[in-house]
Amino acid sequence: MAKGKKEAIESKNGTAATPGDGAGQQVAEPPEVARASAYEVAQRQLDEVAGFMGLEDDVLGYLRACQRELIVHFPVRMDDDRVEIFTGFRVHHNTAKGPTKGGIRYHPDVTLDECRALAMWMTWKCALMGLPYGGAKGGVIVDPKRLSIRELERMTRRYATEISLFVGPERDIPAPDVGTNAQVMAWMMDTYSMHRGYSIPAVITGKPVSIGGTAGRESATGLGVAYVTRAVLKQRLGRGLEDVTVAVQGFGNVGSWTARSMHDRGACVAAVSDVYGGVYNSHGLDMRQLLRHVAETGSVVNFPGADSLTNAELLELPVGVLVPAALEGQITRENAHRVRAKIVAEGANGPTTPEADAILADNGVFVIPDILCNGGGVVVSYFEWVQSLQSYFWDEGAVRRQMENTLIASLEAVNGAMTQCKCRMRMAAYMIAIERIIAAINVRGFYP
Ligand code: GLU
């Protein structure tokens, strides 16, 4: 019943893991990237949009801050009887549009600042997707690969207990992120339910189908990246997925499902990478064999018939589409001018710094921003929440169709704003999200 240690790990970006909601293997970060600066990056992005929109200082000040931040330190009995103290976080950025929504990350480098940034990005993403949510994010400072399956369960249950004052089906609904997966969500849902004495499936999304999860959640983020990229390719370059080569950084949930989904729709997936390194074959990698290789060896490295390359080299390949599906801060001012892709499709949250954004734009590289590109995950999380609340379940075809409709409608709204404002796609996406949040703030007013 309980899955193995590897299976208990999901990552959007990539800690070694079988597909969960994050991408799989974590990738090495460029040396100049300070992870603690993700919040500064998120705030700078907001400041830029606020300047462009002429936002009032009051509103900007309100949106720059996170509404609630919880830090927890908690003991866990390890298998050798030692007690280890873990530190975790849960941040609610903004609740103007409804309960907060966002993943839980297990990673050794998780910080409060990173959770703040990721929570803020969730607020924008949910608003852009038209979901009745604000943004949240949580995490525990831990390398989940280091724990046994029982240690992972005990740690998860204690963390779920510690943050339970922040969480609830009408309050804050966690989901998988880097380093967590459906099994971790099942433990969280069970723990929350045990405290209340009855099952409350709507408190968590990304949980297994057997306890009220939705069909199509595991593949949703990567499949959504493929849908959005396909539409942008057609609109911007008059091409189809079958006309392009693709490189994917990160091979966890998001990276692996993006690679599979694009491959299944005719793309030539020429390179993929994980925390251990990357593989490249200009004629394309055989996805089925690659997935088998990863299942057997735990990494894409040494895949037969492919050359090896580093994560840094992958970002600079001459491909049509580059998908950073690992951690934030991967495309920076140091390497942006060497990116040769025509389109960067952000599978990860925050993979491109503001300086890199400007360099890419100058070089004619079109960036599909994270809050649009990887929105399929939270869209299907919303469908799961609705199904859990109603105890009425949809088939996978309906989930996929509705997800594609939501993503394409959001893309069209962003296209309209881009044309109107003659701005970059990230700016247009942020403007729509922020306008929707401000509309909610205005009618609600500031209490008291
Ligand atoms: N962790 C995912 C994201 O960053 C999904 C969040 C959710 O489904 O609530 O979008």
Side-chain angles (χ1 to χ4, degrees):
M1 213 205 101
K3 296 184 182 177
K5 205 193 300 185
K6 279 223 169 85
E7 287 165 312
I9 300 169
E10 135 168 0
S11 54
K12 166 161 267 152
N13 307 332
T15 1
T18 35
D21 192 37
Q25 269 71 356
Q26 177 192 339
V27 299
E29 290 173 72
E32 77 278 10
V33 175
R35 301 267 322 271
S37 72
Y39 188 41
E40 280 163 35
V41 166
Q43 289 185 319
R44 265 169 42 218
Q45 288 171 333
L46 173 61
D47 292 345
E48 212 180 303
V49 182
F52 194 79
M53 293 172 77
L55 270 197
E56 286 168 31
D57 285 350
D58 289 359
V59 175
L60 175 59
Y62 174 58
L63 293 178
R64 281 182 116 250
C66 291
Q67 186 172 339
R68 300 185 192 110
E69 305 176 341
L70 180 64
I71 305 177
V72 294
H73 306 286
F74 55 95
V76 177
R77 173 107 28 215
M78 307 305 275
D79 290 346
D80 62 4
D81 225 29
R82 269 179 320 112
V83 172
E84 225 176 273
I85 307 296
F86 289 85
T87 296
F89 312 96
R90 185 71 184 168
V91 174
H92 296 173
H93 169 250
N94 185 284
T95 55
K97 286 192 68 70
T100 50
K101 188 85 193 79
I104 303 275
R105 180 171 289 202
Y106 287 174
H107 192 280
D109 298 334
V110 167
T111 62
L112 178 60
D113 252 7
E114 185 188 34
C115 292
R116 288 167 166 157
L118 291 162
M120 189 185 269
W121 287 326
M122 285 308 300
T123 301
W124 315 144
K125 195 189 304 186
C126 291
L128 179 63
M129 293 294 135
L131 310 180
Y133 294 137
K137 208 74 164 198
V140 178
I141 304 173
V142 60
D143 176 0
K145 284 173 283 166
R146 188 176 68 75
L147 303 188
S148 73
I149 192 76
R150 288 296 155 222
E151 289 170 341
L152 191 64
E153 177 175 354
R154 286 196 291 274
M155 194 210 69
T156 297
R157 287 185 181 279
R158 181 62 192 246
Y159 169 68
T161 303
E162 294 293 336
I163 64 165
S164 61
L165 40 139
F166 261 39
V167 168
E170 278 99 29
R171 182 179 298 178
D172 174 32
I173 305 107
D177 195 78
V178 176
T180 58
N181 65 7
Q183 176 62 77
V184 173
M185 296 306 113
W187 290 325
M188 295 197 69
M189 175 274 198
D190 184 70
T191 303
Y192 185 86
S193 299
M194 287 301 104
H195 289 169
R196 275 150 190 83
Y198 57 98
S199 292
I200 308 176
V203 70
I204 293 280
T205 62
K207 58 192 176 289
V209 173
S210 57
I211 54 168
T214 184
R217 177 63 186 87
E218 188 189 298
S219 57
T221 313
L223 182 59
V225 171
Y227 285 155
V228 174
T229 306
R230 179 170 66 183
V232 170
L233 270 169
K234 186 111 213 107
Q235 293 165 359
R236 304 276 151 192
L237 303 177
R239 304 255 198 93
L241 276 173
E242 61 286 356
D243 304 318
V244 290
T245 49
V246 181
V248 182
Q249 186 204 40
F251 207 68
N253 177 277
V254 179
S256 65
W257 279 106
T258 299
R260 274 168 90 157
S261 306
M262 289 193 174
H263 175 268
D264 291 349
R265 284 158 185 76
C268 166
V269 179
V272 299
S273 65
D274 61 34
V275 68
Y276 307 105
V279 287
Y280 176 55
N281 181 335
S282 58
H283 301 296
L285 302 164
D286 184 316
M287 260 322 123
R288 298 285 166 260
Q289 280 183 28
L290 177 64
L291 288 164
R292 204 169 309 128
H293 176 80
V294 172
E296 281 163 13
T297 68
S299 172
V300 300
V301 169
N302 293 330
F303 180 55
D307 297 328
S308 8
L309 83 176
T310 64
N311 271 286
E313 286 164 348
L314 180 139
L315 297 174
E316 298 166 18
L317 287 174
V319 288
V321 177
L322 171 64
V323 185
L327 296 173
E328 54 272 14
Q330 296 298 306
I331 306 178
T332 66
R333 77 167 150 243
E334 314 297 328
N335 61 2
H337 58 278
R338 293 197 296 272
V339 170
R340 285 186 283 170
K342 304 243 173 332
I343 290 180
V344 172
E346 294 186 333
N349 294 316
T352 312
T353 64
E355 295 85 359
D357 246 347
I359 297 168
L360 293 176
D362 284 349
N363 291 346
V365 181
F366 190 86
V367 178
I368 312 174
D370 47 8
I371 62 169
L372 172 64
C373 195
N374 72 36
V378 73
V379 166
V380 174
S381 271
Y382 167 64
F383 297 158
E384 180 177 335
W385 181 69
V386 169
Q387 293 172 70
S388 288
L389 288 171
Q390 299 182 337
S391 298
Y392 178 79
F393 296 93
W394 315 355
D395 63 39
E396 188 160 351
V399 170
R400 287 186 176 199
R401 271 192 306 280
Q402 291 292 339
M403 171 177 78
E404 187 171 12
N405 289 346
T406 306
L407 288 171
I408 298 305
S410 306
L411 170 65
E412 289 314 327
V414 172
N415 281 337
M418 271 180 89
T419 316
Q420 211 185 335
C421 301
K422 299 189 177 32
C423 61
R424 298 209 285 268
M425 197 178 224
R426 192 184 312 279
M427 177 72 81
Y430 265 63
M431 277 171 44
I432 293 171
I434 288 166
E435 269 167 13
R436 289 176 180 171
I437 294 158
I438 289 175
I441 293 169
N442 283 343
V443 284
R444 288 182 69 156
F446 289 109
Y447 177 83

